[in-house]
Amino acid sequence: MATKHWSDLTPAQRAAVVALGAAQFTLAVSAWVDLLRTPAGQVNGRKDVWAAVIAVNWVGPISWYRWGHRAR
């Protein structure tokens, strides 16, 4: 399988990659900010572990919002 380079993508494909990357970055940053603002007593587990989990692409931030903090 040949490796695809940025220059091989169509403008629409490039825009999609940029948009998805921006969405993923925004989701991760918002999850980290939420983690920082959440008191340790309301976090399911350790905050440092959650900080690392959030760094895992789409799965980490979504996991934080689903399972990371107790009901407010």
Side-chain angles (χ1 to χ4, degrees):
M1 178 185 286
T3 303
K4 221 173 200 189
H5 298 283
W6 183 256
S7 59
D8 297 333
L9 299 176
T10 66
Q13 289 172 326
R14 290 180 189 181
V17 169
V18 170
L20 287 171
Q24 180 179 343
F25 179 75
T26 302
L27 183 62
V29 168
S30 69
W32 277 315
V33 168
D34 188 46
L35 174 63
L36 286 173
R37 292 181 178 175
T38 303
Q42 293 181 350
V43 175
N44 289 326
R46 293 176 26 201
K47 289 181 91 168
D48 59 339
V49 172
W50 275 110
V53 168
I54 290 170
V56 180
N57 291 336
W58 295 94
V59 175
I62 292 170
S63 297
W64 163 252
Y65 284 117
R66 174 63 181 95
W67 296 291
H69 48 77
R70 298 184 177 110
R72 296 177 185 180

